[in-house]
Amino acid sequence: GARKDNLEVFIERLGRMEEIAVSFAGVKRAFAVRAGKELRVMVESDLVTDEGVLSLSREIAARIEGEVDYAGHVRIQVIREIRAIDFAV
């Protein structure tokens, strides 16, 4: 009954948040975590600059505010990772 409806709405909300994040250019993956209180967004390091990470987090937050109903706050965490590997022989 009511509990199943709440679960379906909850899952749809998490999926919608992830869809919004992935719709932006340079976003590789997005994960809604902590019961939808946090959205972790992984970006392509060669497509998004350090400055772009800041504006991207603001743009994602603005779209979520406008398109998703949620209680409280949602933390948007944009992660740009660069790895360098070398070998000494």
Coordinates of all heavy atoms in Angstrom, one line a residue:
G1 N 0.8 -1.2 0.0 CA 0.0 0.0 0.0 C 0.8 1.3 0.0 O 1.6 1.5 -0.9
A2 N 0.7 2.0 1.0 CA 1.3 3.4 1.1 C 2.8 3.3 1.1 O 3.5 4.1 0.6 CB 0.8 4.1 2.3
R3 N 3.4 2.3 1.8 CA 4.8 2.2 1.9 C 5.4 1.9 0.5 O 6.5 2.4 0.2 CB 5.2 1.1 2.9 CG 4.9 1.4 4.3 CD 5.4 0.4 5.2 NE 5.0 0.7 6.6 CZ 5.3 0.0 7.6 NH1 5.9 -1.1 7.5 NH2 4.8 0.4 8.8
K4 N 4.8 1.1 -0.3 CA 5.3 0.7 -1.6 C 5.3 2.0 -2.5 O 6.2 2.2 -3.2 CB 4.5 -0.4 -2.3 CG 5.0 -0.8 -3.6 CD 4.3 -2.0 -4.2 CE 5.0 -2.4 -5.5 NZ 4.3 -3.5 -6.1
D5 N 4.2 2.8 -2.4 CA 4.1 4.0 -3.1 C 5.2 5.0 -2.7 O 5.9 5.6 -3.6 CB 2.8 4.7 -2.9 CG 1.6 4.0 -3.6 OD1 1.9 3.1 -4.5 OD2 0.5 4.2 -3.2
N6 N 5.5 5.1 -1.5 CA 6.6 5.9 -1.0 C 8.0 5.5 -1.5 O 8.8 6.3 -1.9 CB 6.6 6.0 0.5 CG 5.5 6.8 1.1 OD1 4.9 7.6 0.4 ND2 5.2 6.6 2.4
L7 N 8.2 4.2 -1.6 CA 9.4 3.6 -2.1 C 9.6 3.9 -3.5 O 10.7 4.3 -4.0 CB 9.5 2.1 -1.8 CG 10.8 1.4 -2.3 CD1 12.0 2.0 -1.6 CD2 10.7 -0.1 -2.1
E8 N 8.5 3.8 -4.3 CA 8.6 4.1 -5.7 C 8.9 5.5 -6.0 O 9.7 5.8 -6.9 CB 7.3 3.6 -6.4 CG 7.1 2.1 -6.5 CD 5.7 1.7 -7.0 OE1 4.9 2.6 -7.4 OE2 5.4 0.5 -7.0
V9 N 8.3 6.4 -5.3 CA 8.5 7.8 -5.4 C 9.9 8.2 -5.0 O 10.6 8.9 -5.7 CB 7.5 8.7 -4.5 CG1 7.9 10.1 -4.5 CG2 6.1 8.5 -5.0
F10 N 10.4 7.5 -4.0 CA 11.8 7.7 -3.5 C 12.8 7.3 -4.6 O 13.7 8.0 -5.0 CB 12.1 6.9 -2.3 CG 13.5 7.0 -1.8 CD1 14.0 8.1 -1.2 CD2 14.3 5.8 -1.9 CE1 15.3 8.1 -0.7 CE2 15.6 5.9 -1.4 CZ 16.1 7.0 -0.8
I11 N 12.6 6.1 -5.2 CA 13.5 5.6 -6.2 C 13.4 6.5 -7.5 O 14.5 6.7 -8.1 CB 13.2 4.1 -6.5 CG1 13.5 3.3 -5.3 CG2 13.9 3.6 -7.8 CD1 13.1 1.8 -5.4
E12 N 12.2 6.9 -7.9 CA 12.1 7.8 -9.0 C 12.9 9.1 -8.8 O 13.5 9.6 -9.7 CB 10.6 8.1 -9.3 CG 9.9 6.9 -9.9 CD 8.4 7.2 -10.1 OE1 8.0 8.4 -10.1 OE2 7.6 6.3 -10.2
R13 N 12.8 9.7 -7.6 CA 13.5 10.9 -7.3 C 15.0 10.8 -7.4 O 15.7 11.6 -8.0 CB 13.1 11.4 -5.9 CG 13.7 12.7 -5.5 CD 13.2 13.3 -4.2 NE 13.6 12.4 -3.1 CZ 12.7 11.9 -2.2 NH1 11.4 12.1 -2.4 NH2 13.1 11.1 -1.3
L14 N 15.5 9.7 -6.9 CA 17.0 9.4 -7.0 C 17.4 9.3 -8.4 O 18.4 9.8 -8.8 CB 17.4 8.2 -6.2 CG 17.1 8.2 -4.7 CD1 17.6 6.9 -4.0 CD2 17.8 9.4 -4.0
G15 N 16.6 8.5 -9.2 CA 16.9 8.3 -10.6 C 16.8 9.7 -11.3 O 17.7 9.9 -12.2
R16 N 15.9 10.5 -11.0 CA 15.8 11.8 -11.7 C 17.0 12.7 -11.4 O 17.5 13.4 -12.3 CB 14.5 12.5 -11.3 CG 14.2 13.8 -11.9 CD 14.0 13.6 -13.4 NE 13.9 14.9 -14.1 CZ 14.6 15.3 -15.1 NH1 15.3 14.4 -15.7 NH2 14.5 16.5 -15.6
M17 N 17.4 12.7 -10.2 CA 18.6 13.5 -9.8 C 19.8 13.0 -10.6 O 20.6 13.8 -11.1 CB 18.9 13.4 -8.3 CG 17.9 14.1 -7.5 SD 18.0 13.8 -5.7 CE 19.7 13.9 -5.3
E18 N 20.0 11.7 -10.7 CA 21.1 11.1 -11.5 C 21.0 11.5 -13.0 O 22.0 11.9 -13.6 CB 21.2 9.6 -11.3 CG 21.6 9.2 -9.9 CD 21.5 7.7 -9.6 OE1 21.0 7.0 -10.5 OE2 22.0 7.3 -8.6
E19 N 19.8 11.4 -13.5 CA 19.5 11.8 -14.9 C 19.9 13.2 -15.2 O 20.5 13.6 -16.2 CB 18.1 11.6 -15.3 CG 17.7 10.1 -15.4 CD 16.2 10.0 -15.6 OE1 15.5 11.0 -15.9 OE2 15.7 8.8 -15.6
I20 N 19.5 14.1 -14.3 CA 19.8 15.5 -14.5 C 21.3 15.7 -14.5 O 21.8 16.4 -15.4 CB 19.2 16.4 -13.3 CG1 17.7 16.4 -13.5 CG2 19.8 17.8 -13.3 CD1 16.9 17.0 -12.3
A21 N 22.1 15.1 -13.6 CA 23.5 15.3 -13.6 C 24.2 14.8 -14.9 O 25.0 15.4 -15.5 CB 24.1 14.6 -12.4
V22 N 23.7 13.6 -15.3 CA 24.4 13.0 -16.5 C 24.0 13.7 -17.8 O 24.8 13.6 -18.7 CB 23.9 11.5 -16.6 CG1 24.4 10.8 -17.9 CG2 24.4 10.7 -15.4
S23 N 23.0 14.5 -17.7 CA 22.6 15.3 -18.9 C 23.6 16.4 -19.3 O 23.6 16.9 -20.4 CB 21.2 15.9 -18.8 OG 21.2 16.9 -17.8
F24 N 24.5 16.8 -18.4 CA 25.4 17.8 -18.6 C 26.7 17.3 -19.3 O 27.1 16.2 -19.1 CB 25.9 18.5 -17.3 CG 24.8 19.4 -16.6 CD1 23.9 18.9 -15.8 CD2 24.8 20.7 -16.9 CE1 22.9 19.7 -15.2 CE2 23.9 21.6 -16.4 CZ 22.9 21.0 -15.5
A25 N 27.2 18.2 -20.2 CA 28.4 17.8 -20.9 C 29.6 17.5 -20.0 O 29.8 18.3 -19.1 CB 28.8 18.9 -21.9
G26 N 30.3 16.5 -20.3 CA 31.5 16.1 -19.5 C 31.3 15.2 -18.3 O 32.2 14.8 -17.7
V27 N 30.0 15.0 -18.0 CA 29.7 14.1 -16.8 C 29.8 12.7 -17.3 O 29.2 12.3 -18.3 CB 28.3 14.4 -16.3 CG1 27.9 13.5 -15.2 CG2 28.3 15.9 -15.7
K28 N 30.6 11.9 -16.5 CA 30.8 10.5 -16.8 C 29.7 9.6 -16.1 O 29.1 8.8 -16.7 CB 32.2 10.1 -16.4 CG 32.6 8.7 -16.8 CD 34.0 8.3 -16.5 CE 34.8 9.3 -15.7 NZ 36.2 8.8 -15.3
R29 N 29.6 9.8 -14.8 CA 28.6 9.1 -14.0 C 28.1 9.9 -12.9 O 28.8 10.9 -12.5 CB 29.3 7.8 -13.4 CG 29.6 6.7 -14.4 CD 30.2 5.6 -13.7 NE 31.6 5.7 -14.1 CZ 32.6 5.2 -13.3 NH1 32.4 4.7 -12.2 NH2 33.9 5.4 -13.7
A30 N 26.9 9.5 -12.3 CA 26.4 10.2 -11.2 C 25.7 9.2 -10.3 O 25.1 8.3 -10.7 CB 25.4 11.3 -11.6
F31 N 25.9 9.4 -9.0 CA 25.3 8.5 -8.0 C 24.6 9.3 -6.9 O 25.2 10.2 -6.3 CB 26.5 7.7 -7.3 CG 27.3 6.9 -8.3 CD1 28.5 7.5 -8.7 CD2 26.9 5.7 -8.8 CE1 29.3 6.8 -9.6 CE2 27.7 5.1 -9.7 CZ 28.9 5.6 -10.1
A32 N 23.4 9.0 -6.6 CA 22.6 9.5 -5.5 C 22.9 8.7 -4.3 O 22.7 7.4 -4.4 CB 21.2 9.6 -5.8
V33 N 23.5 9.2 -3.3 CA 23.9 8.5 -2.1 C 23.3 9.1 -0.8 O 22.7 10.2 -0.9 CB 25.4 8.3 -1.9 CG1 26.0 7.5 -3.1 CG2 26.1 9.7 -1.9
R34 N 23.4 8.4 0.3 CA 22.9 8.9 1.6 C 21.5 9.2 1.6 O 21.0 10.3 1.9 CB 23.7 10.1 2.1 CG 25.2 9.8 2.4 CD 26.0 10.9 3.0 NE 25.2 11.5 4.1 CZ 25.0 12.8 4.3 NH1 25.4 13.6 3.4 NH2 24.3 13.2 5.3
A35 N 20.7 8.3 1.0 CA 19.2 8.4 1.0 C 18.8 9.7 0.2 O 17.8 10.3 0.5 CB 18.6 8.4 2.4
G36 N 19.6 10.0 -0.9 CA 19.2 11.1 -1.7 C 19.6 12.5 -1.2 O 19.3 13.5 -1.7
K37 N 20.4 12.5 -0.1 CA 20.9 13.7 0.5 C 22.2 14.2 -0.2 O 22.6 15.4 0.1 CB 21.1 13.6 2.0 CG 19.9 13.2 2.8 CD 18.9 14.4 2.7 CE 17.7 14.1 3.5 NZ 16.6 15.1 3.3
E38 N 22.8 13.4 -1.0 CA 24.1 13.7 -1.6 C 24.1 13.2 -3.0 O 23.6 12.0 -3.3 CB 25.2 13.2 -0.8 CG 26.6 13.6 -1.4 CD 27.7 13.2 -0.5 OE1 27.5 13.1 0.8 OE2 28.8 13.1 -1.0
L39 N 24.6 13.9 -4.0 CA 24.7 13.5 -5.4 C 26.2 13.6 -5.7 O 26.8 14.7 -5.7 CB 23.9 14.4 -6.3 CG 23.9 14.0 -7.8 CD1 23.2 12.6 -8.0 CD2 23.2 15.0 -8.6
R40 N 26.8 12.5 -6.0 CA 28.2 12.5 -6.4 C 28.3 12.4 -7.9 O 27.8 11.4 -8.5 CB 29.0 11.3 -5.7 CG 29.1 11.5 -4.3 CD 29.9 10.5 -3.6 NE 29.8 10.7 -2.2 CZ 30.1 9.7 -1.3 NH1 30.4 8.5 -1.7 NH2 30.0 10.0 0.0
V41 N 29.0 13.3 -8.5 CA 29.1 13.4 -10.0 C 30.6 13.3 -10.4 O 31.4 14.0 -10.0 CB 28.5 14.8 -10.4 CG1 28.6 14.9 -11.9 CG2 27.1 15.0 -9.9
M42 N 30.8 12.3 -11.2 CA 32.2 12.0 -11.7 C 32.3 12.7 -13.1 O 31.4 12.4 -14.0 CB 32.5 10.5 -11.9 CG 32.2 9.8 -10.6 SD 33.4 10.1 -9.3 CE 34.9 9.3 -10.0
V43 N 33.3 13.5 -13.4 CA 33.4 14.1 -14.7 C 34.7 13.7 -15.4 O 35.6 13.2 -14.8 CB 33.4 15.7 -14.6 CG1 32.1 16.2 -14.0 CG2 34.5 16.2 -13.7
E44 N 34.7 13.9 -16.7 CA 35.9 13.6 -17.5 C 36.9 14.7 -17.3 O 36.6 15.9 -17.5 CB 35.5 13.5 -19.0 CG 34.5 12.5 -19.4 CD 35.1 11.1 -19.5 OE1 36.4 11.0 -19.5 OE2 34.4 10.1 -19.5
S45 N 38.1 14.4 -16.8 CA 39.1 15.4 -16.5 C 39.6 16.2 -17.7 O 40.0 17.3 -17.6 CB 40.2 14.8 -15.7 OG 40.9 13.8 -16.5
D46 N 39.5 15.6 -18.9 CA 40.0 16.3 -20.0 C 38.9 17.2 -20.6 O 39.2 18.1 -21.5 CB 40.5 15.3 -21.1 CG 39.5 14.2 -21.5 OD1 38.6 14.0 -20.7 OD2 39.6 13.7 -22.6
L47 N 37.7 17.0 -20.2 CA 36.6 17.8 -20.8 C 36.1 18.9 -19.8 O 35.6 19.9 -20.2 CB 35.4 17.0 -21.1 CG 35.6 15.9 -22.2 CD1 34.3 15.1 -22.3 CD2 36.0 16.5 -23.5
V48 N 36.4 18.8 -18.5 CA 35.9 19.7 -17.5 C 37.1 20.3 -16.7 O 37.9 19.5 -16.2 CB 34.9 19.1 -16.5 CG1 34.5 20.1 -15.5 CG2 33.7 18.5 -17.3
T49 N 37.3 21.6 -16.7 CA 38.4 22.2 -16.0 C 38.1 22.3 -14.5 O 37.0 22.1 -14.1 CB 38.7 23.6 -16.6 OG1 37.6 24.4 -16.3 CG2 39.0 23.6 -18.0
D50 N 39.1 22.7 -13.7 CA 38.9 23.0 -12.3 C 37.8 24.0 -12.1 O 37.0 23.9 -11.2 CB 40.2 23.4 -11.6 CG 41.2 22.2 -11.5 OD1 40.7 21.1 -11.5 OD2 42.3 22.5 -11.3
E51 N 37.9 25.1 -12.9 CA 36.9 26.2 -12.8 C 35.5 25.7 -13.2 O 34.5 26.0 -12.7 CB 37.3 27.4 -13.6 CG 38.5 28.1 -13.1 CD 39.8 27.4 -13.6 OE1 39.8 26.6 -14.6 OE2 40.8 27.6 -12.9
G52 N 35.5 24.8 -14.2 CA 34.3 24.2 -14.7 C 33.5 23.3 -13.7 O 32.3 23.2 -13.7
V53 N 34.3 22.7 -12.8 CA 33.7 21.9 -11.7 C 32.8 22.8 -10.8 O 31.7 22.4 -10.5 CB 34.8 21.2 -10.9 CG1 34.3 20.6 -9.7 CG2 35.5 20.2 -11.8
L54 N 33.3 24.0 -10.5 CA 32.5 24.9 -9.7 C 31.2 25.3 -10.3 O 30.1 25.2 -9.7 CB 33.3 26.1 -9.3 CG 34.6 25.9 -8.5 CD1 35.4 27.2 -8.4 CD2 34.2 25.4 -7.1
S55 N 31.3 25.7 -11.6 CA 30.1 26.1 -12.3 C 29.1 25.0 -12.5 O 27.9 25.1 -12.5 CB 30.4 26.9 -13.6 OG 31.1 26.0 -14.5
L56 N 29.7 23.8 -12.8 CA 28.9 22.6 -13.0 C 28.1 22.2 -11.8 O 26.9 21.9 -11.9 CB 29.7 21.4 -13.5 CG 29.0 20.1 -13.8 CD1 28.1 20.3 -15.0 CD2 30.0 19.0 -14.1
S57 N 28.7 22.3 -10.6 CA 28.0 22.0 -9.4 C 26.8 22.9 -9.1 O 25.7 22.5 -8.7 CB 28.9 21.9 -8.2 OG 29.4 23.2 -7.9
R58 N 27.0 24.2 -9.5 CA 26.0 25.2 -9.3 C 24.8 25.0 -10.3 O 23.7 25.1 -9.9 CB 26.5 26.6 -9.5 CG 27.4 27.0 -8.3 CD 27.9 28.5 -8.5 NE 28.9 28.8 -7.5 CZ 30.1 29.1 -7.7 NH1 30.6 29.1 -9.0 NH2 31.0 29.4 -6.8
E59 N 25.2 24.6 -11.5 CA 24.2 24.4 -12.5 C 23.3 23.2 -12.2 O 22.1 23.2 -12.4 CB 24.8 24.3 -13.9 CG 25.4 25.5 -14.4 CD 26.2 25.3 -15.7 OE1 26.0 24.3 -16.4 OE2 27.0 26.2 -16.1
I60 N 24.0 22.1 -11.8 CA 23.3 20.9 -11.4 C 22.3 21.2 -10.2 O 21.2 20.8 -10.2 CB 24.2 19.8 -11.1 CG1 25.0 19.3 -12.3 CG2 23.5 18.6 -10.4 CD1 26.1 18.3 -12.1
A61 N 22.8 21.9 -9.2 CA 22.0 22.3 -8.1 C 20.8 23.1 -8.5 O 19.7 22.9 -8.0 CB 22.8 23.0 -7.0
A62 N 21.0 24.0 -9.4 CA 19.9 24.9 -9.8 C 18.8 24.0 -10.5 O 17.6 24.2 -10.3 CB 20.4 26.0 -10.7
R63 N 19.2 23.1 -11.4 CA 18.3 22.3 -12.1 C 17.5 21.3 -11.1 O 16.3 21.1 -11.3 CB 18.9 21.4 -13.2 CG 19.2 22.2 -14.4 CD 18.9 21.6 -15.7 NE 18.2 20.4 -15.9 CZ 18.5 19.5 -16.7 NH1 19.7 19.5 -17.4 NH2 17.8 18.4 -16.9
I64 N 18.2 20.8 -10.1 CA 17.6 19.9 -9.2 C 16.6 20.7 -8.3 O 15.4 20.3 -8.1 CB 18.6 19.2 -8.3 CG1 19.3 18.2 -9.1 CG2 18.0 18.6 -7.0 CD1 20.5 17.5 -8.4
E65 N 16.9 21.9 -7.9 CA 16.0 22.8 -7.2 C 14.7 23.0 -8.0 O 13.6 23.0 -7.5 CB 16.6 24.2 -6.9 CG 17.6 24.1 -5.8 CD 18.2 25.5 -5.5 OE1 17.7 26.5 -6.0 OE2 19.2 25.6 -4.8
G66 N 14.8 23.2 -9.3 CA 13.7 23.5 -10.1 C 12.9 22.3 -10.6 O 11.7 22.5 -10.8
E67 N 13.5 21.1 -10.6 CA 12.8 20.0 -11.2 C 12.5 18.8 -10.3 O 11.7 18.0 -10.7 CB 13.6 19.5 -12.4 CG 13.8 20.5 -13.5 CD 14.7 19.9 -14.6 OE1 14.8 18.7 -14.8 OE2 15.3 20.8 -15.4
V68 N 13.1 18.8 -9.1 CA 12.9 17.7 -8.2 C 12.3 18.1 -6.9 O 12.8 19.1 -6.3 CB 14.3 16.9 -8.0 CG1 14.1 15.7 -7.1 CG2 14.9 16.5 -9.3
D69 N 11.3 17.4 -6.4 CA 10.8 17.7 -5.0 C 11.6 16.8 -4.0 O 11.7 15.6 -4.2 CB 9.3 17.3 -5.0 CG 8.5 18.2 -5.8 OD1 8.8 19.4 -5.9 OD2 7.5 17.7 -6.4
Y70 N 12.1 17.5 -3.0 CA 12.9 16.8 -2.0 C 12.8 17.6 -0.7 O 12.4 18.7 -0.7 CB 14.4 16.7 -2.4 CG 15.0 18.0 -2.7 CD1 15.7 18.7 -1.7 CD2 14.9 18.6 -3.9 CE1 16.2 20.0 -1.9 CE2 15.5 19.8 -4.2 CZ 16.1 20.5 -3.2 OH 16.7 21.7 -3.4
A71 N 13.1 16.9 0.4 CA 13.0 17.5 1.7 C 14.4 17.8 2.2 O 15.3 17.0 2.0 CB 12.3 16.6 2.7
G72 N 14.6 19.0 2.7 CA 16.0 19.3 3.3 C 16.9 19.8 2.2 O 16.5 20.5 1.2
H73 N 18.2 19.5 2.3 CA 19.2 19.9 1.4 C 19.8 18.7 0.6 O 19.8 17.6 1.1 CB 20.4 20.5 2.1 CG 20.0 21.8 2.9 ND1 19.6 21.8 4.2 CD2 19.9 23.1 2.4 CE1 19.3 23.0 4.5 NE2 19.5 23.8 3.5
V74 N 20.2 19.0 -0.6 CA 21.0 18.0 -1.4 C 22.4 18.5 -1.7 O 22.5 19.6 -2.2 CB 20.3 17.6 -2.7 CG1 21.1 16.6 -3.5 CG2 18.9 17.1 -2.5
R75 N 23.4 17.8 -1.3 CA 24.7 18.2 -1.5 C 25.2 17.7 -2.8 O 25.1 16.5 -3.1 CB 25.6 17.6 -0.3 CG 27.1 17.9 -0.5 CD 27.8 17.3 0.7 NE 29.2 17.5 0.5 CZ 30.1 17.0 1.3 NH1 29.8 16.2 2.3 NH2 31.4 17.2 1.1
I76 N 25.7 18.6 -3.7 CA 26.2 18.2 -5.0 C 27.7 18.2 -4.9 O 28.3 19.2 -4.7 CB 25.8 19.2 -6.1 CG1 24.3 19.5 -6.0 CG2 26.1 18.7 -7.5 CD1 23.3 18.4 -6.1
Q77 N 28.3 17.0 -5.1 CA 29.7 16.8 -5.0 C 30.3 16.4 -6.4 O 30.0 15.3 -6.9 CB 30.1 15.8 -4.0 CG 31.5 15.6 -3.8 CD 31.8 14.6 -2.7 OE1 30.9 13.8 -2.2 NE2 33.0 14.5 -2.2
V78 N 31.0 17.3 -7.1 CA 31.5 17.1 -8.4 C 33.0 16.7 -8.2 O 33.8 17.4 -7.6 CB 31.4 18.3 -9.3 CG1 32.0 18.0 -10.7 CG2 29.9 18.7 -9.5
I79 N 33.4 15.5 -8.8 CA 34.7 15.0 -8.6 C 35.4 14.9 -10.0 O 34.9 14.3 -10.9 CB 34.6 13.6 -8.0 CG1 33.9 13.6 -6.7 CG2 36.0 13.0 -7.9 CD1 33.4 12.3 -6.2
R80 N 36.6 15.6 -10.1 CA 37.4 15.6 -11.2 C 38.7 15.0 -10.8 O 39.5 15.5 -10.0 CB 37.6 17.0 -11.7 CG 38.5 17.1 -13.0 CD 38.6 18.5 -13.4 NE 39.5 18.6 -14.6 CZ 40.8 18.9 -14.6 NH1 41.3 19.2 -13.4 NH2 41.5 19.0 -15.7
E81 N 39.0 13.8 -11.3 CA 40.2 13.1 -10.9 C 41.2 12.9 -12.0 O 40.8 12.6 -13.1 CB 39.7 11.7 -10.4 CG 40.8 10.8 -9.9 CD 40.3 9.5 -9.4 OE1 39.8 8.7 -10.2 OE2 40.4 9.3 -8.2
I82 N 42.4 13.1 -11.7 CA 43.6 12.9 -12.6 C 44.5 12.0 -11.9 O 44.9 12.2 -10.8 CB 44.3 14.3 -13.0 CG1 43.3 15.2 -13.6 CG2 45.4 14.0 -13.8 CD1 43.8 16.6 -13.9
R83 N 44.9 11.0 -12.6 CA 45.9 10.0 -12.1 C 47.1 10.0 -13.0 O 47.0 10.0 -14.2 CB 45.3 8.6 -12.1 CG 44.2 8.5 -11.1 CD 43.7 7.1 -11.0 NE 42.5 7.0 -10.3 CZ 42.0 5.9 -9.7 NH1 42.7 4.8 -9.9 NH2 40.9 5.9 -9.0
A84 N 48.3 10.0 -12.4 CA 49.5 9.9 -13.1 C 50.3 8.7 -12.6 O 50.5 8.6 -11.4 CB 50.4 11.2 -12.9
I85 N 50.6 7.8 -13.5 CA 51.4 6.6 -13.2 C 52.6 6.5 -14.0 O 52.6 6.8 -15.2 CB 50.5 5.4 -13.4 CG1 49.2 5.5 -12.6 CG2 51.3 4.1 -13.1 CD1 48.2 4.4 -12.9
D86 N 53.7 6.2 -13.4 CA 55.0 6.1 -14.1 C 55.8 5.0 -13.4 O 55.4 4.6 -12.3 CB 55.8 7.4 -14.0 CG 56.8 7.5 -15.2 OD1 57.0 6.5 -15.8 OD2 57.3 8.6 -15.4
F87 N 56.8 4.5 -14.0 CA 57.6 3.4 -13.5 C 59.1 3.8 -13.5 O 59.6 4.4 -14.5 CB 57.4 2.1 -14.3 CG 56.0 1.6 -14.2 CD1 55.1 1.9 -15.2 CD2 55.6 0.8 -13.2 CE1 53.8 1.4 -15.2 CE2 54.3 0.3 -13.1 CZ 53.4 0.6 -14.1
A88 N 59.8 3.4 -12.4 CA 61.2 3.6 -12.4 C 61.8 2.2 -12.6 O 61.4 1.3 -11.8 CB 61.7 4.2 -11.1
V89 N 62.7 2.0 -13.5 CA 63.3 0.7 -13.7 C 64.8 0.8 -13.5 O 65.5 1.7 -13.7 CB 63.0 0.1 -15.1 CG1 61.5 -0.2 -15.1 CG2 63.3 1.1 -16.2

